[in-house]
Amino acid sequence: MLRSFFLSKEWRMWAWGGMTLLIALVVAEVYLLAQLNDWYRVIWDLLGGAAGLSDVNKTSASVYEFLGLLVQFVYLVMPLMFLRVGSNFLAQHFTFRWRQAISFSYRPYWQHTEHEIEGASQRLQEDTRDFALILEDLGLGFVRAILTLLAFIPILWTLSTQLVETITTNMPDIREKLAELPSDTQEMIYSSLIGMDFIANVPGSLVWMAIGIAVAGTGISYIVGIKLPGLHYNNQRVEASFRKRMTYAEDDKQFADLPSFMELFTGLRTNYFRLFMHTSYFRLWEYFFYQALIIADFILIAPGILAGLVTLGVLNQVSHAFSNVSESFSYLIKNWVTITSLMSVVKRLKEFERNIGYNNSGYNNSGYNNSGYNNNGYNNGGKPKGIEAVETIE
């Protein structure tokens, strides 16, 4: 699967050049997201400190600043949208050409295989298609997650440091004011500020918190979804048997007799029902995890706003940075069901490669066989190989 695209002379421009361009586009996306994160702090600090009609001059200046921030938002979001659409468009072409490289690489080996391979047409058509579609989604998302971490971990670490300085400076005054309150009220407020103490005493506390949540969530996700790859793999096998029987039935209706039909469909039913059950378990855990993730940083920081330790703008900036970091660390959890589908597709294609002798046949790494034709249907002189050229997609 890899060498047919990344080690092929015919595809190396798309493989390496396309991947480089994709990474460059995503780098630009992440840069704009980082700028947008700072924009959230500025606008929420502006809104949180609005004077209202009590100070007309200050209110007038705030209105102009607010309008300027709206214009800045447009300048940030418009190129971000085009970059996102462009990277998705390029990813679609990238993965389709990868699918084409795999399909034409498999074809000559399969044609020269003497023994019958069950589901060969499905491997060449459906599994290569699924491989491309899933990879388009997962691959681009994975690159975005990695680059988001590289950009936002320093931002979140810096915000943690700034919070430490703010808490250290203002906490004595807060404690002095709390001393004037009834003891039960003091106890309630102190308990709500435990998160502030955690941030003040642990360097980069928000980063470590995001990592801890992601590691724990990934471990639990592995346990909850451990059976999904095997179920997806079995599902394709029973689907292939059912489809093959129905293909025979198009020529001879006896192949669709009731006992055979019931036996095949019972296999489908059993596997699908197990798949539905285990997917539901995982989805329930996934929903719980992401709802907990939404309020995790608020539990730590929001009491600091009520106590006057941090501003509303800082809370929003921290919240967006924490969300980007924690969601990137939790990439496996978010895409676990899709990853299990990809694992089953790769497992089937690897099995197909073994059956056709893909790794020990007489075709060299350049994609050319002994007849002088490459895997795209062209010969060494660039001329199409008969009618097969009609099927080649350029």
Side-chain angles (χ1 to χ4, degrees):
M1 283 174 281
L2 292 174
R3 69 185 179 95
S4 63
F5 192 53
F6 288 95
L7 299 182
S8 169
K9 291 182 178 180
E10 292 76 35
W11 293 107
R12 62 186 175 189
M13 183 64 70
W14 261 104
W16 298 105
M19 184 170 63
T20 302
L21 182 55
L22 267 174
I23 292 175
L25 290 174
V26 176
V27 167
E29 287 181 34
V30 173
Y31 171 78
L32 290 175
L33 285 174
Q35 298 299 310
L36 195 60
N37 186 71
D38 189 60
W39 180 89
Y40 283 116
R41 176 187 60 79
V42 176
I43 194 167
W44 281 104
D45 273 345
L46 175 66
L47 296 175
L53 297 178
S54 60
D55 189 337
V56 177
N57 291 329
K58 185 177 179 181
T59 301
S60 178
S62 297
V63 169
Y64 281 112
E65 186 178 356
F66 176 74
L67 293 175
L69 286 170
L70 292 182
V71 173
Q72 183 185 2
F73 178 80
V74 173
Y75 282 134
L76 290 173
V77 171
M78 287 300 292
L80 180 61
M81 291 190 300
F82 282 104
L83 283 170
R84 183 61 62 94
V85 172
S87 60
N88 288 335
F89 178 78
L90 181 59
Q92 290 173 332
H93 278 270
F94 181 84
T95 53
F96 185 86
R97 281 165 171 78
W98 194 345
R99 173 193 176 183
Q100 183 180 348
I102 294 173
S103 298
F104 280 94
S105 178
Y106 285 168
R107 183 192 60 83
Y109 297 96
W110 174 52
Q111 282 191 323
H112 291 84
T113 301
E114 296 180 356
H115 62 278
E116 181 180 355
I117 301 175
E118 184 177 358
S121 59
Q122 184 184 5
R123 304 289 85 78
L124 284 168
Q125 184 269 325
E126 184 175 326
D127 285 343
T128 56
R129 179 203 65 193
D130 290 346
F131 177 81
L133 292 176
I134 296 174
L135 198 66
E136 173 193 330
D137 180 32
L138 289 181
L140 189 58
F142 180 74
V143 172
R144 284 180 177 143
I146 294 298
L147 294 177
T148 298
L149 286 175
L150 293 177
F152 277 88
I153 283 180
I155 293 175
L156 193 59
W157 191 282
T158 301
L159 290 172
S160 297
T161 304
Q162 292 173 355
L163 282 174
V164 169
E165 295 174 356
T166 301
I167 294 169
T168 304
T169 302
N170 297 326
M171 187 61 83
D173 293 337
I174 298 297
R175 295 185 186 279
E176 185 177 332
K177 293 178 181 179
L178 289 177
E180 302 174 0
L181 299 175
S183 58
D184 56 341
T185 304
Q186 289 184 38
E187 184 178 350
M188 180 186 66
I189 295 177
Y190 275 130
S191 62
S192 69
L193 293 175
I194 291 177
M196 295 290 98
D197 289 332
F198 171 75
I199 292 173
N201 295 318
V202 180
S205 54
L206 294 174
V207 176
W208 295 118
M209 179 180 173
I211 294 174
I213 291 174
V215 170
T218 302
I220 296 174
S221 296
Y222 175 78
I223 296 172
V224 176
I226 194 170
K227 294 195 176 194
L228 288 176
L231 289 173
H232 279 288
Y233 178 77
N234 293 335
N235 196 57
Q236 288 297 323
R237 293 180 68 90
V238 294
E239 284 281 14
S241 298
F242 185 72
R243 180 169 48 251
K244 183 176 182 180
R245 188 79 178 188
M246 293 304 99
T247 301
Y248 290 156
E250 291 180 359
D251 298 323
D252 185 355
K253 296 297 190 295
Q254 292 301 318
F255 281 97
D257 62 292
L258 184 59
S260 299
F261 194 86
M262 282 293 296
E263 181 182 356
L264 289 170
F265 209 87
T266 299
L268 280 176
R269 175 191 173 97
T270 301
N271 197 76
Y272 265 110
F273 282 12
R274 290 185 64 198
L275 184 61
F276 294 158
M277 182 63 68
H278 284 277
T279 301
S280 297
Y281 289 153
F282 188 85
R283 290 300 187 195
L284 179 62
W285 154 245
E286 183 184 25
Y287 295 148
F288 171 81
F289 176 81
Y290 279 102
Q291 293 305 311
L293 202 60
I294 290 174
I295 65 169
D297 55 324
F298 281 94
I299 293 174
L300 282 180
I301 302 173
I305 293 181
L306 302 177
L309 288 171
V310 295
T311 65
L312 189 61
V314 171
L315 172 64
N316 276 274
Q317 187 182 24
V318 170
S319 179
H320 282 89
F322 184 84
S323 176
N324 277 289
V325 171
S326 56
E327 286 186 11
S328 296
F329 273 127
S330 306
Y331 179 79
L332 295 178
I333 301 174
K334 183 178 180 181
N335 296 280
W336 190 266
V337 174
T338 307
I339 291 171
T340 58
S341 297
L342 179 63
M343 291 169 61
S344 66
V345 169
V346 171
K347 184 176 180 180
R348 292 193 300 272
L349 289 177
K350 285 290 186 182
E351 183 180 18
F352 182 65
E353 288 181 358
R354 289 193 298 271
N355 289 332
I356 63 177
Y358 184 71
N359 295 318
N360 54 16
S361 188
Y363 296 84
N364 58 42
N365 291 332
S366 300
Y368 292 92
N369 59 31
N370 296 332
S371 64
Y373 292 91
N374 63 30
N375 292 334
N376 291 329
Y378 290 86
N379 62 25
N380 295 339
K383 296 181 180 180
K385 184 181 178 182
I387 196 170
E388 293 172 353
V390 176
E391 301 173 349
T392 303
I393 303 172
E394 297 180 345

